[in-house]
Amino acid sequence: MTAVKENPPSLTGHVAVVAGATRGAGRGIARALGEAGAIVYCTGRSVRGNLSPYGRPETIDETADMITAAGGTAIPVRVDHTVESEVEALFGRIDREHGRLDVLVNSIAGEEPMMAMRNSFWKTNLTHAEAIFRQALLSHIITAKHAVPLMIRRRCGLIVEVTENDILSAGGNPLSQSVKLALKGLALNMAAELKPHGVAAVAITPGFLRSEAMLEHFGVTEANWREGGKKDKNFLESESPLFVGRAVAALAQDGHILERSGQLCSSWELAREFRFTDADGGRPDWGAITIDFSAFPPAFLEYFRTGAQIQLEWLNALSARTKRFLSQLPR
């Protein structure tokens, strides 16, 4: 790992695309990249006059306004990232306007409502399964495909896949679990292909994220969010979307980013290393707290315990096999 950088260089003059900048982690990441000086293209489907299919009020225009109001540069562009022609047109425009792309953040469909149902795989409703995979996974692949040539041409760049949890597993039903695991694997696979070209790819997870939807769930605002701790103690260690945004901005400014290409990062671990804080000056650390599991039924805790044990055995076996394979490769 690289040494702590207390005063990293700014991103002035760099060009970033945040795909899925409408709300949640995507919005926070777009704001943080703008804060660091990057020109930020905020993309998504929700614009003024054509609101979210999710029924939410946030738009990419609103995100861009937040960035410009803070003194940054932001360009909202309506893009359906499941439509390859629209994605291709986006990067063609960026190439014409700037001739470069430094950062791509794939935060598309992070809060896709179709993935919200939580149940056993044998009880999962598969009516929208193909739509889920197209919206939440294929969209990431389409977007990375058309972004990468701009980075390869300059032999530098960073792709960030926003996922959930800093281990293999993630919450939800088998559809959402498959998507979140695949995004981690996507960064891993892209890293191997891109390293000879000087381009890095990582996956990142926030901790307990205070997205707009989560604030509504707890009946609080960003101004009084700590009141939500009365319902759930864990919420007191939550983070605003800007926190994971500053984690991405720190990665984008890391001169040794290729050394961690392919890795699964977390906002809290990067905060320890780069010493950035959240919007309120705090430094939430989801990895250091003792999580309060008292609201979970015993059967659910046993599921977590069994899953973690199986995962650990799987990783140990995989590590041994990978080392053996590596030793067989000719030097």
Side-chain angles (χ1 to χ4, degrees):
M1 300 295 287
T2 55
V4 171
K5 302 166 186 60
E6 296 190 52
N7 296 294
S10 90
L11 295 178
T12 301
H14 289 220
V15 178
V17 169
V18 180
T22 315
R23 63 185 65 84
R27 172 173 282 184
I29 293 168
R31 291 179 63 192
L33 289 170
E35 176 183 78
I39 300 166
V40 185
Y41 282 77
C42 304
T43 70
R45 296 177 297 172
S46 303
V47 296
R48 292 191 182 105
N50 186 7
L51 296 182
S52 165
Y54 304 170
R56 295 204 54 85
E58 300 87 13
T59 66
I60 54 171
D61 305 281
E62 188 180 53
T63 302
D65 287 346
M66 291 176 176
I67 295 169
T68 54
T73 303
I75 304 162
V77 183
R78 189 193 183 282
V79 178
D80 183 337
H81 286 268
T82 69
V83 180
E84 189 167 7
S85 60
E86 292 188 21
V87 175
E88 186 174 18
L90 167 69
F91 291 107
R93 171 181 171 176
I94 292 170
D95 195 14
R96 292 190 302 273
E97 293 178 352
H98 302 283
R100 66 186 290 170
L101 176 66
D102 300 278
V103 181
L104 166 66
V105 179
N106 268 331
S107 189
I108 309 158
E111 292 185 322
E112 170 57 62
M114 291 187 293
M115 296 196 296
M117 53 183 179
R118 181 187 294 271
N119 50 36
S120 300
F121 70 86
W122 59 89
K123 298 178 182 177
T124 301
N125 184 341
L126 300 178
T127 303
H128 301 295
E130 292 182 15
I132 288 171
F133 288 139
R134 182 168 188 84
Q135 185 63 35
L137 177 57
L138 183 59
S139 61
H140 289 236
I141 297 171
I142 292 171
T143 306
K145 170 189 172 180
H146 290 283
V148 158
L150 277 71
M151 296 179 173
I152 288 177
R153 191 172 67 204
R154 298 183 63 248
R155 296 193 59 78
C156 64
L158 171 65
I159 298 174
V160 179
E161 292 292 333
V162 181
T163 186
E164 178 186 332
N165 213 345
D166 63 336
I167 57 177
L168 287 181
S169 59
N173 61 66
L175 301 173
S176 59
Q177 290 167 356
S178 296
V179 166
K180 301 303 184 181
L181 177 58
L183 294 177
K184 298 166 189 177
L186 179 59
L188 181 64
N189 290 337
M190 287 193 296
E193 286 197 71
L194 292 173
K195 194 165 188 178
H197 301 283
V199 179
V202 299
I204 193 167
T205 179
F208 196 155
L209 188 71
R210 291 197 305 277
S211 67
E212 297 84 356
M214 190 58 67
L215 289 171
E216 285 186 12
H217 173 74
F218 278 92
V220 295
T221 66
E222 187 58 30
N224 70 339
W225 67 267
R226 288 180 177 81
E227 291 297 308
K230 296 175 182 177
K231 296 181 180 179
D232 182 349
K233 271 195 320 188
N234 298 313
F235 196 61
L236 295 174
E237 200 67 24
S238 65
E239 63 190 65
S240 82
L242 191 63
F243 192 62
V244 69
R246 287 175 173 171
V248 171
L251 289 174
Q253 296 169 86
D254 183 2
H256 302 279
I257 187 62
L258 279 174
E259 295 177 11
R260 71 174 94 221
S261 190
Q263 297 303 306
L264 172 57
C265 308
S266 69
S267 58
W268 60 91
E269 288 179 329
L270 290 171
R272 296 175 200 163
E273 180 180 352
F274 290 95
R275 297 180 181 173
F276 58 82
T277 60
D278 206 340
D280 61 3
R283 187 177 289 149
D285 195 328
W286 187 247
I289 70 164
T290 300
I291 299 174
D292 179 12
F293 286 105
S294 60
F296 290 89
F300 218 53
L301 295 178
E302 186 56 33
Y303 164 74
F304 286 156
R305 189 176 295 109
T306 301
Q309 184 61 46
I310 291 172
Q311 183 179 146
L312 188 59
E313 293 169 358
W314 188 85
L315 286 167
N316 287 336
L318 195 65
S319 178
R321 292 171 191 152
T322 306
K323 289 177 182 177
R324 183 174 64 249
F325 174 70
L326 192 59
S327 70
Q328 293 173 331
L329 289 172
R331 294 186 180 278

